[in-house]
Amino acid sequence: MLFRLNPDNINSQTVDQIVKLLQNGGVIIYPTDTVYALGADITKQNAFERICRLKGIKPDKSNFSFVCSDLSHLSQYAKPISNSIFRVMKKALPGPYTFILEANSNVPKLLKQTKKTVGIRVPDNAICKAIIEQLGNPLISTSLHDNSDDILEYFSDPEVIYQQYQKQVDAVVDGGFGNIYTSTVIDCSNDEPIVIREGLGDLNVLN
């Protein structure tokens, strides 16, 4: 199923349809402020396992992000953070960053693994935000890239994504052309933030 949404004028009925799919354990491909991503309702274990199969990875070896509409869900999945780390996150988000934080006990229960950290994303994308706000839960998510090439390439054309994945996911959300660059990943699981992947996000947020 292909849903088209205009980020400047989001159709609430279309969002409702997408959310119902997610609530029923569906897997979607959707736009973020960086690359298109695979996503599912964080409370649906079977959907998470479907994404792992689609990506060809084991659930206990996976590195998924929790994609939120804002920072209100932080305490549900991460251990308490310092004021300095919170200030950095407030400055950076919403935006093209993934923050690696110490996971609390809810995360292993969700993913059925001994996970010590969790990646938190709050994309600056109106479509993504509308879906998550309507759903009421974060999405468990991972970037969509082309596995057919030795070079890691990210899909940007939603029509091409739909042609390739329409039989493997429940819906593709077309929000226009995506980016080909991923988020900047900042590890904040220790005292000092460490950049472990430089992407779209400006590193000046750390200053």
Side-chain angles (χ1 to χ4, degrees):
M1 196 175 297
L2 179 65
F3 294 104
R4 289 189 172 90
L5 283 171
N6 180 348
D8 298 320
N9 184 21
I10 296 174
N11 186 310
S12 59
Q13 290 181 321
T14 303
V15 173
D16 285 343
Q17 288 178 276
I18 296 165
V19 166
K20 283 176 183 173
L21 279 176
L22 291 166
Q23 289 172 333
N24 289 326
V27 172
I28 66 170
I29 295 171
Y30 69 102
T32 72
D33 55 355
T34 57
V35 298
Y36 270 81
L38 284 155
D41 184 335
I42 203 169
T43 67
K44 305 299 181 185
Q45 181 70 31
N46 288 344
F48 162 65
E49 291 169 356
R50 276 183 63 195
I51 295 177
C52 290
R53 287 195 297 272
L54 204 156
K55 294 274 286 187
I57 54 179
K58 294 181 179 179
D60 61 344
K61 303 293 184 185
S62 62
N63 284 309
F64 283 66
S65 296
F66 290 7
V67 180
C68 309
S69 58
D70 55 42
L71 290 175
S72 63
H73 289 110
L74 203 57
S75 61
Q76 286 181 252
Y77 306 109
K79 290 183 178 179
I81 59 175
S82 67
N83 288 335
S84 59
I85 295 296
F86 187 72
R87 281 195 294 271
V88 170
M89 293 181 72
K90 283 282 285 183
K91 189 196 301 186
L93 301 174
Y97 300 86
T98 301
F99 285 92
I100 308 298
L101 305 174
E102 275 194 280
N104 65 23
S105 59
N106 289 330
V107 174
K109 290 174 191 171
L110 283 167
L111 306 185
K112 295 184 177 176
Q113 55 183 263
T114 55
K115 195 80 171 166
K116 294 182 179 178
T117 58
V118 60
I120 299 291
R121 284 268 282 130
V122 182
D124 187 12
N125 179 281
I127 294 171
C128 174
K129 184 177 181 181
I131 292 169
I132 296 167
E133 285 182 344
Q134 180 67 17
L135 180 64
N137 298 313
L139 294 175
I140 190 161
S141 189
T142 183
S143 299
L144 182 71
H145 60 78
D146 188 353
N147 293 317
S148 64
D149 202 316
D150 291 337
I151 301 170
L152 192 64
E153 292 187 359
Y154 292 91
F155 289 103
S156 60
D157 185 342
E159 294 284 351
V160 173
I161 293 171
Y162 180 66
Q163 288 170 15
Q164 183 149 338
Y165 284 94
Q166 59 181 306
K167 294 180 180 178
Q168 298 177 65
V169 298
D170 298 285
V172 174
V173 182
D174 178 352
F177 274 84
N179 214 304
I180 58 170
Y181 301 105
T182 55
S183 63
T184 290
V185 180
I186 303 172
D187 188 345
C188 298
S189 60
N190 294 304
D191 293 336
E192 290 296 322
I194 299 171
V195 177
I196 58 176
R197 183 181 74 193
E198 191 170 348
L200 277 180
D202 190 337
L203 298 184
N204 285 330
V205 296
L206 296 175
N207 300 328

